[in-house]
């Protein structure tokens, strides 16, 4: 195993209170303490741990300190992984559905067994509070469980023929090698949601994790090996930000790759689609969001506030389905704002993710915090009022911020924030709210709170998004589809439909039969 560094450093805890002032620096030291087999730092190709010629650092975003040095793979290593996956595909697709199901279930069991260590890896490399990291590991494992079950339910069709001397059969077959390119905000679950489906139907994969969070991907590879997943079926090629374009090019252009699945920004997704176009690869894209959160006068205010807290501040606002634009009807606006401010004061605590009271960790890096601060500054310049927070803190920390008197010309209503900023727009009519909510070129998730059943149906059907939360702020589950419309992407993940993304339908006409 290549070298790794164990972190011992100090971090800051800031208590969110009226005024949102930073607390004194803590003197407690934190260390990344996980079992040695799970702390892998080399690439994983064809069943072997393979070092690269150079390494790149992985940093704790709460402190900026180095926690590990990971193999920095380049195009050559990516090509080796593709070749290994292609070779393994020809044997893996011959496994029976039950055999693949059993192996995925073993992988699920191992992820569950090691949930504490896997959660620590997420907290240290992404900054997520440990409680949320444990939640992500449960969510991550649930996709391995779900697709282990769905592996045995990939059914074709026998279609009634118009001719008596032939039979029409529709067969479902795996597409082949899939390139899996995943983000840093859910470094474990975004892998299993894709890979679980791919492996269930007989595809093999090459995973390129985000440069900020490669440790979770490599730990999953270790457990996949322990589960008995054959060599070459699951490969991981970590790389630095500098090498990402060249590695991505291999994964999207190599003719041996049949499928790409990407979660990330819309801009990057477009680049990958252009590269994949030359060889006409099958593609799934889970791209950016700009979710509206609509609170109507008939809503239960307490439930709406709880939904807003869950939807906005999970992972410090760094999820693609986080609510980004809050639209609150005039009749309920003032009560909602008062109770929301009180909830922020009572529930939100800034600090290192290992601290048990922490609910808000850092943003992934200082650039992310600067983006949020810039949106706050722009809004205030244009007339918004800071009700809570608003300050950029040390390192990658940003105070959770509540803005009132927000208008649609402000930057925070026109682009995805990916941070703990909650801007509230007051509206009067349902039509007005829908016009604002749908005035975006992306459409991943949308939320609404109302007790008017007719209104719920009207608005849910009118929202131009792929996922709608009605009186609920947390939506994701393996049993349901995940994906958007407009420029939020292509295809669906999770559910019984997610498995279709890795299948081709072959028509077989069996003729010459005697009637």
């Amino acid at each position: 195993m290549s070298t790794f560094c164990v972190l011992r450093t100090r971090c800051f805890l800031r208590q969110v209170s009226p005024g949102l002032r930073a607390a004194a620096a803590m003197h407690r030291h934190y260390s990344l303490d996980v079992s040695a087999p799970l702390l892998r730092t080399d690439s994983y190709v064809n069943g072997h741990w393979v070092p690269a010629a150079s390494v790149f650092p992985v940093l704790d975003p709460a402190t900026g300190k180095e926690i590990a040095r990971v193999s920095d793979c380049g195009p050559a290593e990516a090509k080796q992984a593709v070749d290994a996956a292609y070779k393994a595909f020809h044997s893996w697709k011959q496994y029976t559905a039950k055999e693949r199901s059993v192996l995925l279930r073993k992988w699920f069991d191992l992820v569950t067994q090691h949930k504490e260590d896997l959660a620590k890896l997420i907290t240290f490399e992404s900054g997520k509070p440990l409680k949320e990291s444990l939640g992500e590991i449960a969510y991550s494992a649930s996709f391995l469980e779900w697709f282990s079950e769905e592996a045995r339910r990939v059914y074709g069709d026998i279609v009634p023929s118009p001719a008596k001397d032939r039979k029409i059969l529709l067969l479902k077959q795996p597409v082949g090698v899939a390139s899996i390119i995943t983000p840093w905000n859910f470094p474990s679950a975004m892998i299993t949601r894709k890979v679980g489906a791919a492996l269930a139907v007989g595809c093999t994969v090459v995973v390129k994790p985000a440069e900020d969070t490669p440790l979770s991907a490599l730990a999953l590879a270790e457990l996949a090996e322990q589960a008995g997943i054959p060599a070459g079926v699951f490969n991981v090629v970590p790389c630095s930000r500098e090498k990402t374009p060249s590695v991505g090019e291999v994964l999207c252009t190599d003719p041996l790759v049949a499928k790409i699945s990407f979660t990330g920004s819309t801009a990057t997704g477009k680049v990958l689609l252009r590269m994949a176009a030359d060889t006409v690869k099958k593609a799934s894209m889970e791209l950016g969001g700009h979710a509206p959160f609509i609170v109507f006068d008939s809503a239960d205010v307490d439930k709406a506030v709880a939904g807003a807290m869950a939807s906005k501040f999970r992972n410090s606002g760094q999820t693609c389905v986080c609510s980004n634009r809050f639209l609150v009807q005039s009749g309920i606006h003032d009560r909602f704002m008062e109770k929301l401010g009180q909830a922020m004061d009572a529930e939100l605590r800034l600090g290192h993710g290992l601290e048990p009271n922490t609910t808000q960790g850092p943003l992934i890096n200082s650039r992310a915090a600067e983006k949020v601060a810039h949106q706050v500054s722009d809004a205030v310049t244009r007339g918004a009022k800071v009700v809570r927070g608003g300050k950029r803190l040390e390192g990658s920390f940003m105070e959770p911020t509540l803005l009132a008197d927000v208008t649609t010309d402000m930057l925070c209503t026109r682009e995805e924030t990916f941070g703990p900023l909650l801007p509230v727009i007051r509206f009067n009519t349902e039509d007005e709210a829908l016009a604002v909510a749908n005035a975006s070129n992306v459409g991943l998730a949308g939320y609404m709170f109302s007790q008017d059943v007719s209104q719920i149906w009207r608005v849910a059907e009118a929202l131009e998004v792929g996922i709608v939360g009605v009186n609920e702020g947390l939506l994701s589950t393996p049993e349901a589809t995940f994906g958007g419309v407009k420029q939020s992407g292509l295809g669906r993940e999770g559910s019984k439909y997610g498995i279709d993304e890795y299948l081709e339908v072959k028509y077989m006409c069996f003729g010459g039969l005697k009637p």
Side-chain angles (χ1 to χ4, degrees):
M1 183 186 299
S2 58
T3 60
F4 65 87
C5 304
V6 175
L7 169 68
R8 292 193 175 276
T9 187
R10 299 178 180 183
C11 77
F12 299 95
L13 175 67
R14 299 170 179 82
Q15 180 172 330
V16 179
S17 60
L20 282 171
R21 60 183 180 82
M26 293 181 64
H27 296 288
R28 181 180 173 186
H29 296 271
Y30 296 94
S31 61
L32 177 55
D33 181 20
V34 301
S35 61
L38 292 181
L39 190 55
R40 291 287 189 173
T41 56
D42 290 333
S43 64
Y44 184 70
V45 177
N46 201 27
H48 300 287
W49 296 100
V50 184
S54 59
V55 295
F56 68 96
V58 179
L59 308 179
D60 178 351
T63 63
K65 302 298 183 181
E66 183 178 297
I67 57 174
R69 295 177 182 174
V70 173
S71 291
D72 193 4
C73 296
E77 290 85 357
K79 175 59 177 170
Q80 290 169 6
V82 169
D83 290 345
Y86 185 74
K87 180 179 178 181
F89 171 64
H90 295 288
S91 57
W92 179 244
K93 69 179 181 180
Q94 299 300 328
Y95 277 53
T96 67
K98 183 175 181 179
E99 288 171 333
R100 293 194 296 267
S101 174
V102 168
L103 290 173
L104 284 170
R105 179 69 197 201
K106 288 181 180 178
W107 196 8
F108 159 77
D109 289 337
L110 286 167
V111 170
T112 302
Q113 177 184 334
H114 293 281
K115 61 184 179 182
E116 287 84 4
D117 280 349
L118 295 172
K120 288 178 186 177
L121 288 175
I122 292 175
T123 290
F124 271 92
E125 64 181 350
S126 77
K128 189 176 295 188
L130 187 59
K131 183 178 180 181
E132 288 194 22
S133 296
L134 285 165
E136 178 179 343
I137 293 303
Y139 183 51
S140 175
S142 72
F143 286 106
L144 298 178
E145 180 184 39
W146 172 259
F147 286 116
S148 74
E149 297 163 349
E150 287 298 292
R152 301 181 68 180
R153 302 190 184 104
V154 178
Y155 305 131
D157 292 295
I158 298 177
V159 180
S161 172
K164 295 180 179 180
D165 65 344
R166 67 194 65 181
K167 297 292 183 181
I168 296 174
L169 294 88
L170 303 180
L171 312 178
K172 291 186 178 180
Q173 297 182 314
V175 298
V177 176
S179 292
I180 308 294
I181 304 175
T182 56
W184 49 263
N185 58 338
F186 286 90
S188 182
M190 293 303 95
I191 293 174
T192 58
R193 190 162 74 185
K194 300 171 187 293
V195 170
L199 268 57
V201 300
C203 293
T204 55
V205 300
V206 178
V207 176
K208 204 248 18 125
E211 65 272 12
D212 297 296
T213 56
L215 300 179
S216 293
L218 295 169
L220 285 174
E222 168 64 28
L223 295 179
E225 183 177 84
Q226 291 183 24
I229 303 294
V233 171
F234 182 73
N235 306 274
V236 181
V237 284
C239 66
S240 62
R241 182 180 299 273
E242 291 73 24
K243 290 186 179 179
T244 290
S246 59
V247 169
E249 183 175 2
V250 171
L251 297 182
C252 292
T253 62
D254 192 294
L256 298 184
V257 173
K259 157 86 180 183
I260 60 172
S261 181
F262 169 72
T263 295
S265 72
T266 298
T268 301
K270 291 177 180 179
V271 171
L272 301 183
L273 282 171
R274 282 192 287 268
M275 287 195 291
D278 282 345
T279 46
V280 196
K281 299 189 190 305
K282 194 176 178 75
S284 297
M285 295 278 146
E286 196 266 281
L287 308 177
H290 193 35
F293 186 104
I294 308 172
V295 183
F296 290 101
D297 282 343
S298 68
D300 180 314
V301 178
D302 292 331
K303 288 183 179 179
V305 167
M309 293 289 290
S311 175
K312 176 74 264 184
F313 295 115
R314 183 169 60 118
N315 198 19
S316 298
Q318 298 174 112
T319 84
C320 51
V321 292
C322 272
S323 298
N324 219 56
R325 298 166 292 155
F326 288 76
L327 298 98
V328 183
Q329 200 160 13
S330 296
I332 205 171
H333 177 274
D334 292 349
R335 282 187 294 147
F336 177 83
M337 293 295 287
E338 180 183 1
K339 291 196 172 189
L340 180 58
Q342 291 170 352
M344 290 176 66
D345 292 342
E347 298 176 24
L348 302 183
R349 297 290 182 271
L350 276 165
H352 193 285
L354 280 191
E355 192 64 26
N357 292 328
T358 294
T359 65
Q360 301 291 285
L363 301 190
I364 190 63
N365 51 45
S366 60
R367 296 188 308 277
E370 288 164 5
K371 178 182 179 182
V372 179
H374 176 63
Q375 288 193 357
V376 173
S377 176
D378 170 80
V380 171
T381 299
R382 297 174 185 271
K385 176 184 175 183
V386 177
V387 180
R388 295 289 191 282
K391 295 180 183 177
R392 167 85 157 81
L393 304 174
E394 299 110 303
S396 299
F397 284 92
M398 179 74 197
E399 283 185 330
T401 300
L402 175 61
L403 296 181
D405 301 331
V406 173
T407 56
T408 56
D409 63 332
M410 297 174 185
L411 197 58
C412 60
T413 69
R414 293 188 284 113
E415 66 177 29
E416 188 175 25
T417 300
F418 239 63
L421 171 58
L422 198 159
V424 178
I425 302 169
R426 186 194 296 259
F427 74 90
N428 294 312
T429 68
E430 181 182 307
D431 287 343
E432 178 188 350
L434 281 170
V436 174
N438 290 334
S440 174
N441 63 1
V442 294
L444 183 54
Y447 305 83
M448 60 171 296
F449 280 73
S450 171
Q451 296 186 84
D452 180 335
V453 175
S454 296
Q455 182 177 65
I456 287 171
W457 279 111
R458 287 195 307 270
V459 174
E461 292 183 344
L463 283 172
E464 296 172 357
V465 296
I467 306 168
V468 179
V470 178
N471 297 325
E472 180 56 62
L474 296 176
L475 309 176
S476 300
T477 178
E479 292 84 0
T481 55
F482 193 101
V485 299
K486 298 181 177 178
Q487 294 185 35
S488 281
L490 303 169
R492 293 294 182 268
E493 295 184 337
S495 83
K496 67 177 183 179
Y497 298 104
I499 214 162
D500 290 337
E501 300 291 328
Y502 298 89
L503 290 166
E504 297 283 12
V505 178
K506 178 184 287 184
Y507 162 41
M508 183 174 77
C509 180
F510 191 168
L513 303 177
K514 294 180 180 180

